[in-house]
Amino acid sequence: MSISSYSPQEIVETIRMVQMERLDIRTITMGISLRDCVSENHARLADRIYDKVCRMGSGLTAAGAAIAREYGIPVTNTRVSVTPVAIIAEGVGDCAGRDAMLGVARALDRAAREIGVNFIGGYSALVHKGATPGDLALIDSIPEALASTERVCGSVNIGSTKSGINMDAVAMMGRVVKRAAELTAAADGLGAAKLVVFCNAVEDNPFMAGAFHGVGEADGVLNVGVSGPGVVLRAVQAAPAADFGELASIIKRTAFKITRMGELVGRAASARLGVPFGIVDLSLAPTPAIGDSVARILESMGLSRVGAHGSTAALALLNDAVKKGGAMASSHVGGLSGAFIPVSEDIGMIEAAGMGALSFDKLEALTAVCSVGLDMIAIPGDTPASTIAAIIADEAAIGMINRKTTAVRLIPAPGKKVGDLIEFGGLLGHAPVMAVNRESSAAFIGRGGRIPAPIQALNN
Amino acid sequence: MAMLPEAGPAAGGNRAIVTVIGVDRVGIIAAVATMLAEAQVNILDISQSIMQEFFVMIMMVDLARSPSGFDELKAALNERGNAMGLKIDIQREDVFKLMHRV
């Protein structure tokens, strides 16, 4: 083959995407099953988990760095997800369940540090229909686990289209989210930023904080999350007069190229590490960096600020076009695959929220058409736990009825009021504290029980 | 520039694309080609053009006979680029093949 099979424009386009438009591989996440680590002895369990994560993940960070050098595409993060810990640590018999869970959290944190990954996900429980004693022990321990470790991330699935919504778990999570923030008050409630409450959680999501390694997965798997809001932004900006059909087509073509990079990197990492390739997650994941914003894409479609009327339609078009282009580009697409709209991690969202253009309610509407949910939103620290639970219930209802994943990652910032700023730094960014509805949902949440599975579940 | 048909998969996996981007001046090709020759890297094809006022040179190279490691070569090219006020980089060919071809 000669060089002539690529035009100089194509080669320059690739280089421009990486160097000027911040195209990167957001994460290579290795899923590791902990099912063979189970023990009745808490110390042995923790040791086995530490050893397995270190053994399987030892080459991950180096492989990510080598791929970045050779292909010229930055690999921003390498991460690990593990089997939901509630399942793995449930059988410990020589100490209280809560202590067994916390022992695992510490082992995971040490292992993450040892192999050099910045987050390890899977401090999780799946309680969409009911909770076992192990699930309850894990949920109870989440605030302490997140406050006492650096890299561990947790998630709890409280509903699904097939099972309905476990409202007892929802009520519990309202309290857990609040407590997670309180225990990390000195860091503006950072603990809550490492905790995701899901409806319809997926088993192969590579993105934190909600990644865990599903029980239907192999012993080890590599999942790749691509990024590239900047690349899509540039493409949209270059077509100010395009109608919506053309616009969708432009985004599709761009998503195709981004996804191909994800597939290439996933397969290269798989070959190097001897761990099977799982999926590419097509999500457009913003960062607080200039030019890496999903909000700016919506604005470049013709909205003066994200949050303006029309934002939901714009996001629907973007999300769908990204999926269509990405699905064509990879043989295995999975995870969450859509546009993320975290507030604190997106400079356009931060600005719009700060100036009042983007309200909490509009964010909720946007989550009906985006890939995930209410993400990285700071709310007043004095928000009642029942209100947080009710927000979770609303979001789960959107997911349950629309057969999609929804998630809630709220930070009830301790001591902060509407308009104050919280600062996490790095990829987690900063955010203005947003107002939530002050009316009470306490009696509603107090009912308990389950919201039945919707008619959409009856498709057999 | 004409688009020639691609060769089959037998073409091998040790090819890379060297890109040089910057302001045009005398001796760019000579300098890069000399470095590659010293590293036993075979140049398969060269193209150059001016895009948006920048000189863009693209080389397809074969690393099969090169005793230098990829990282070593990349570092040397980056360094030489800095010294000449140019951006010189090398990337495995797969990046371009996958991104632009279905």
Side-chain angles (χ1 to χ4, degrees):
Chain A
M1 173 156 60
S2 85
I3 197 170
S4 317
S5 44
Y6 311 105
S7 72
Q9 284 82 359
E10 287 174 332
I11 288 179
V12 170
E13 180 186 9
T14 300
I15 291 166
R16 193 190 65 212
M17 281 182 176
V18 172
Q19 291 181 358
M20 292 167 64
E21 298 164 10
R22 295 180 179 277
L23 172 62
D24 61 353
I25 299 301
R26 179 54 47 80
T27 178
I28 302 177
T29 302
M30 181 184 283
I32 299 176
S33 169
L34 300 183
R35 280 158 58 181
D36 56 353
C37 299
V38 170
S39 170
E40 289 189 351
N41 178 289
H42 73 279
R44 187 171 305 143
L45 172 70
D47 286 348
R48 283 179 177 171
I49 288 174
Y50 176 82
D51 291 345
K52 183 160 189 192
V53 172
C54 288
R55 176 165 49 83
M56 290 194 63
S58 61
L60 179 60
T61 305
I67 288 168
R69 285 195 302 273
E70 293 186 20
Y71 294 97
I73 299 174
V75 175
T76 310
N77 299 293
T78 48
R79 290 165 172 175
V80 166
S81 64
V82 297
T83 315
V85 167
I87 298 170
I88 300 307
E90 183 151 40
V92 170
D94 65 343
C95 70
R98 190 176 195 283
D99 296 333
M101 301 294 168
L102 288 169
V104 173
R106 288 189 292 270
L108 291 173
D109 202 38
R110 276 190 293 124
R113 205 169 297 136
E114 173 64 27
I115 62 173
V117 296
N118 57 1
F119 284 121
I120 186 163
Y123 199 73
S124 305
L126 309 176
V127 296
H128 35 285
K129 198 160 182 194
T132 66
D135 292 328
L136 294 173
L138 180 121
I139 290 171
D140 180 52
S141 73
I142 285 175
E144 190 178 331
L146 299 181
S148 62
T149 59
E150 182 195 359
R151 305 182 186 203
V152 174
C153 293
S155 56
V156 176
N157 193 53
I158 50 77
S160 75
T161 300
K162 273 288 180 190
S163 65
I165 302 172
N166 180 349
M167 290 297 289
D168 293 326
V170 168
M172 225 180 302
M173 289 314 295
R175 296 191 293 272
V176 168
V177 167
K178 192 156 172 165
R179 186 80 187 131
E182 284 166 359
L183 287 188
T184 48
D188 278 349
L190 177 65
K194 298 186 285 184
L195 172 60
V196 182
V197 187
F198 277 117
C199 176
N200 289 326
V202 294
E203 301 203 317
D204 53 7
N205 161 30
F207 286 102
M208 294 297 169
F212 63 87
H213 183 70
V215 291
E217 296 279 332
D219 195 46
V221 69
L222 282 172
N223 297 320
V224 172
V226 297
S227 180
V231 182
V232 175
L233 174 63
R234 167 77 177 237
V236 172
Q237 280 173 338
D243 75 2
F244 290 112
E246 288 171 52
L247 197 58
S249 182
I250 290 165
I251 296 168
K252 269 195 294 189
R253 282 201 298 272
T254 310
F256 176 90
K257 292 172 184 174
I258 296 171
T259 308
R260 292 289 267 210
M261 291 299 97
E263 172 113 358
L264 170 66
V265 166
R267 293 198 181 278
S270 168
R272 271 160 213 252
L273 294 165
V275 171
F277 169 63
I279 55 95
V280 178
D281 186 317
L282 308 178
S283 298
L284 287 182
T287 70
I290 303 290
D292 207 19
S293 156
V294 169
R296 291 282 186 262
I297 301 174
L298 306 183
E299 291 167 357
S300 71
M301 288 188 201
L303 302 165
S304 63
R305 280 282 171 191
V306 65
H309 295 294
S311 297
T312 311
L315 183 59
L317 179 147
L318 171 66
N319 205 36
D320 184 65
V322 165
K323 284 181 205 186
K324 285 172 177 164
M328 174 82 184
S330 169
S331 28
H332 296 287
V333 170
L336 300 165
S337 286
F340 291 170
I341 52 165
V343 174
S344 78
E345 299 170 359
D346 185 316
I347 189 70
M349 294 283 176
I350 295 167
E351 283 176 13
M355 68 197 303
L358 178 64
S359 68
F360 196 91
D361 292 343
K362 187 62 176 177
L363 278 165
E364 184 181 315
L366 292 173
T367 66
V369 299
C370 80
S371 71
V372 193
L374 295 169
D375 196 14
M376 292 301 285
I377 303 173
I379 59 173
D382 63 356
T383 307
S386 59
T387 298
I388 296 171
I391 292 168
I392 293 170
D394 281 346
E395 197 56 33
I398 291 172
M400 174 181 77
I401 296 295
N402 294 304
R403 301 184 192 88
K404 71 187 288 290
T405 306
T406 48
V408 172
R409 182 161 54 144
L410 296 179
I411 299 100
K416 299 286 168 112
K417 307 237 167 315
V418 173
D420 291 350
L421 212 65
I422 62 164
E423 176 69 58
F424 294 132
L427 279 179
L428 295 173
H430 63 280
V433 175
M434 297 180 77
V436 298
N437 196 306
R438 305 303 291 181
E439 297 295 330
S440 172
S441 317
F444 178 76
I445 293 301
R447 283 177 184 270
R450 283 186 281 142
I451 292 180
I455 195 75
Q456 285 87 332
L458 303 181
N459 56 0
N460 288 340
Chain B
M1 172 167 169
M3 304 276 287
L4 301 179
E6 290 184 57
N14 219 348
R15 283 197 310 237
I17 303 270
V18 174
T19 49
V20 182
I21 302 177
V23 180
D24 198 8
R25 53 179 272 195
V26 173
I28 295 178
I29 293 183
V32 177
T34 305
M35 280 188 75
L36 293 172
E38 282 165 3
Q40 298 285 303
V41 172
N42 188 27
I43 298 173
L44 302 172
D45 201 352
I46 298 183
S47 129
Q48 59 165 327
S49 55
I50 304 289
M51 287 182 64
Q52 293 159 16
E53 297 165 29
F54 283 103
F55 168 78
V56 180
M57 181 174 77
I58 300 162
M59 287 176 166
M60 179 174 283
V61 300
D62 185 352
L63 305 175
R65 299 225 180 85
S66 172
S68 310
F70 188 94
D71 288 347
E72 203 183 318
L73 187 59
K74 185 185 182 87
L77 286 168
N78 291 165
E79 198 180 312
R80 188 57 174 268
N82 290 339
M84 296 176 72
L86 299 164
K87 173 90 190 156
I88 307 182
D89 206 359
I90 180 167
Q91 288 162 274
R92 295 224 182 259
E93 184 208 358
D94 315 13
V95 175
F96 304 96
K97 192 154 68 186
L98 273 162
M99 184 178 268
H100 298 290
R101 297 289 175 268
V102 177

